[in-house]
Amino acid sequence: MASTEAPAPASTTGTKFTTSIVILGGNLAGLGVLHTLARHTIPALQRLSSQQTSSPQQQEYQITLITPNTHFFFKPASPRALIQPLLLPGGDDSKVFPSLTDATKQYGDLVKLVVPAYAYTIDRASRLVHVRRLVDTPSPSPESTTIPYDVLVIATGTKGRSALWTMHMPGPGSHEGLKGAGAEEATRREWEGVRARLKNLQSGGAHKHHRNVLIAGGGPVGVETTGEVASWLKAEGKTEGVTVTLVSGADKLLKNKNANEKLGSKAEAYMKKQFGALVQVVHGVKVVDVQVTDSVAVSVSGGQGEGKGGEGGQTTETTTMTVHLSDGTTRTNVGLYIDATGGRGNADAFLPQSWLDASSRVITKDAYFRARGSSENDPEASGVYVAGDIVSGSDNTLIETNAQVPVVCSSIGSDLAAKILSSSAPDQNPSSPSSTSTSTSTVANNKIKLPAPLRQKTFKNKMAGTLLVPIGPGGGVGQILGWGVPSFLVKVAKAKGFLVDMAEPAVTGQQWK
């Protein structure tokens, strides 16, 4: 286990100052910020500090990553990894869950990894993060610690109704039996259950009535998962008597700001062409209740879902369910139900509602991902930044997250640089960030051209309007910069491997070199 030792707070002993940077959330956004800060922002700040010969102050930095997962989770590949991992590069889902130690060990003492752990409250006035470790102990004392921050980056992402697509922030009883394992273990367990139920559809004997699959959610994840399930059933010859129903709460599939008006209808037409009566799409309704009507223990060893590291010989409970829809109808004999509806922000456990929008995502005060706080001039929001799906208004895509990261780090860099330049007095602590206006005026007054990592960048998603949605391994539908693309391009660009080869460079930092 990684150490939970807290970094020293911003120190005023002699002429040495340590800036404590705390990152909450160790997945796509959090790791992107960590690598960019460690590789680019902090070295630039250190050079800037050394060039200020009028000040004898020494700047040191400490990055602390706090996250409930011990392994990275490459979520874009989830539909394929969940249903058909044998089709992924390497033949299993191991590339979806690389270890976080591969992300941090290269930076030595600069980075502390606190896992598996989560922030359960933030004392914003005192700038302290209260952290709890996920350990198997009845006593709360050994598992709690407090970490001070000068800079706080919130990158905790979203949480869905199930752990299939997101690593849930722990709560009472949510990690019982995991014995200190990372949050990704709950995802792995749900995956095993889905794979077992899919394998036992129409398997004969006591399970022959488990014939139907129902998937809730008409967005990209729901459409991709429907394609994966239907293509697996076809490949296994298990289509007779089986219906895969995709329930969309909107009036069409893929109804979001990234998709053009025709993309949803193209997706539905593609499914009809590929799968015929096997797939049914129902629009304008939502799942309101799922009731278990029968339960049977089945083996999860072997089958299409086992990765190389899978545990064989175990059993899980497979069920028949009745699903009640918002239009008053029901779907019976459902042997597999998958909730692929959208998630909510994962910050309500440690931030007040006044910091959040209606979906529990963090509201920013500018286009540079500085947190607004309870109001535009909330002093408690100083030095707090937001990245990834947790940002209010985010479209929850890998493309947008990758575009956010450099901007967030430039905000941190420019704010800290302004403090260095304004700290000519020996008793001035240059750790706590300033506002954008202060950063700009300080740099202007000093007539200094900052290096690129310390100059404020402007957010621009150059790939806006790009969405590729595989519907099985053979292709799918998509658009690039708003322009439709043919199925074969979707196959080559995403359907073959679901981008899983992007996971390793995201973890090791090569993506941000």
Side-chain angles (χ1 to χ4, degrees):
M1 290 292 178
S3 170
T4 59
E5 179 185 354
S11 170
T12 57
T13 303
T15 58
K16 181 178 178 181
F17 294 93
T18 299
T19 298
S20 172
I21 302 172
V22 175
I23 301 173
L24 303 181
N27 220 49
L28 287 163
L31 287 191
V33 170
L34 184 151
H35 287 304
T36 304
L37 291 177
R39 288 169 176 248
H40 305 290
T41 310
I42 289 176
L45 287 167
Q46 291 171 328
R47 289 192 295 268
L48 179 66
S49 180
S50 67
Q51 293 165 2
Q52 303 308 299
T53 56
S54 61
S55 173
Q57 298 167 350
Q58 300 174 16
Q59 273 300 141
E60 294 189 356
Y61 297 87
Q62 176 72 72
I63 301 175
T64 304
L65 177 63
I66 303 167
T67 190
N69 50 301
T70 61
H71 289 69
F72 180 80
F73 177 24
F74 190 68
K75 294 190 288 184
S78 295
R80 172 64 51 77
L82 170 64
I83 304 299
Q84 303 189 92
L86 295 177
L87 299 185
L88 288 173
D92 61 19
D93 61 18
S94 60
K95 288 187 176 182
V96 180
F97 297 103
S99 172
L100 284 185
T101 57
D102 294 335
T104 59
K105 62 185 179 183
Q106 59 191 294
Y107 301 120
D109 292 339
L110 173 63
V111 176
K112 288 186 181 292
L113 180 60
V114 183
V115 297
Y118 64 99
Y120 63 91
T121 188
I122 297 175
D123 183 342
R124 299 176 303 283
S126 300
R127 305 179 77 79
L128 297 171
V129 180
H130 295 270
V131 179
R132 184 165 291 137
R133 285 286 300 273
L134 296 176
V135 295
D136 190 28
T137 172
S139 172
S141 300
E143 62 180 281
S144 299
T145 189
T146 301
I147 300 178
Y149 68 88
D150 300 297
V151 172
L152 178 64
V153 181
I154 300 172
T156 48
T158 57
K159 54 186 175 183
R161 292 180 177 84
S162 77
L164 287 174
W165 319 111
T166 58
M167 293 180 290
H168 281 187
M169 184 70 74
S174 64
H175 283 263
E176 288 181 1
L178 296 183
K179 297 182 179 179
E184 73 280 356
E185 194 61 29
T187 297
R188 289 180 180 273
R189 288 191 175 189
E190 288 211 24
W191 282 18
E192 288 177 359
V194 167
R195 291 164 175 172
R197 288 188 286 274
L198 181 60
K199 178 186 174 184
N200 282 279
L201 284 173
Q202 213 183 17
S203 61
H207 311 304
K208 64 183 179 181
H209 54 295
H210 300 171
R211 292 188 178 275
N212 296 322
V213 179
L214 192 142
I215 299 169
V221 174
V223 172
E224 290 175 351
T225 304
T226 300
E228 293 300 306
V229 170
S231 61
W232 183 84
L233 288 169
K234 282 186 65 176
E236 294 293 313
K238 290 191 172 185
T239 60
E240 184 180 355
V242 176
T243 301
V244 180
T245 302
L246 175 60
V247 175
S248 167
D251 57 358
K252 60 183 178 182
L253 299 177
L254 304 177
K255 189 172 184 178
N256 60 52
K257 66 181 182 180
N258 268 326
N260 63 40
E261 290 295 317
K262 297 180 180 179
L263 196 63
S265 58
K266 288 182 178 179
E268 193 166 349
Y270 185 92
M271 285 191 284
K272 184 175 182 180
K273 178 181 178 181
Q274 295 295 317
F275 308 121
L278 175 62
V279 174
Q280 296 181 358
V281 180
V282 180
H283 293 292
V285 296
K286 297 181 179 181
V287 172
V288 295
D289 189 32
V290 179
Q291 295 179 333
V292 176
T293 55
D294 184 33
S295 180
V296 179
V298 297
S299 172
V300 299
S301 60
Q304 88 289 349
E306 300 301 318
K308 292 177 182 176
E311 295 182 87
Q314 295 185 348
T315 60
T316 189
E317 198 170 57
T318 186
T319 56
T320 301
M321 293 161 278
T322 296
V323 179
H324 300 267
L325 304 179
S326 58
D327 62 356
T329 63
T330 60
R331 295 292 189 273
T332 58
N333 292 335
V334 175
L336 175 59
Y337 170 69
I338 297 176
D339 189 329
T341 55
R344 294 176 59 81
N346 204 6
D348 52 353
F350 56 84
L351 287 178
Q353 188 58 49
S354 57
W355 283 52
L356 310 176
D357 66 12
S359 66
S360 294
R361 291 173 170 85
V362 181
I363 301 170
T364 55
K365 73 173 182 179
D366 56 27
Y368 310 108
F369 305 106
R370 295 176 178 88
R372 185 199 67 177
S374 297
S375 63
E376 289 294 333
N377 298 310
D378 186 353
E380 293 184 353
S382 174
V384 182
Y385 307 82
V386 197
D389 294 354
I390 191 63
V391 174
S392 178
S394 169
D395 66 10
N396 296 351
T397 64
L398 175 63
I399 291 174
E400 181 164 287
T401 293
N402 287 343
Q404 290 176 4
V405 166
V407 181
V408 175
C409 294
S410 75
S411 297
I412 297 170
S414 63
D415 290 349
L416 291 177
K419 281 297 182 181
I420 292 173
L421 296 175
S422 65
S423 60
S424 56
D427 59 347
Q428 179 79 29
N429 184 344
S431 294
S432 298
S434 61
S435 66
T436 310
S437 59
T438 304
S439 302
T440 304
S441 62
T442 300
V443 173
N445 292 338
N446 282 273
K447 297 181 180 180
I448 290 177
K449 183 178 180 181
L450 293 175
L454 306 184
R455 294 199 294 267
Q456 181 68 69
K457 293 180 173 62
T458 301
F459 175 72
K460 185 177 182 181
N461 186 353
K462 296 180 180 179
M463 295 300 292
T466 298
L467 186 64
L468 301 179
V469 185
I471 305 175
V477 299
Q479 59 185 50
I480 295 178
L481 302 178
W483 295 90
V485 296
S487 175
F488 79 85
L489 194 150
V490 177
K491 176 181 179 179
V492 172
K494 186 175 179 182
K496 289 181 68 175
F498 261 78
L499 309 178
V500 74
D501 286 331
M502 295 177 66
E504 182 178 355
V507 172
T508 62
Q510 289 301 301
Q511 176 183 347
W512 305 105
K513 64 182 181 180

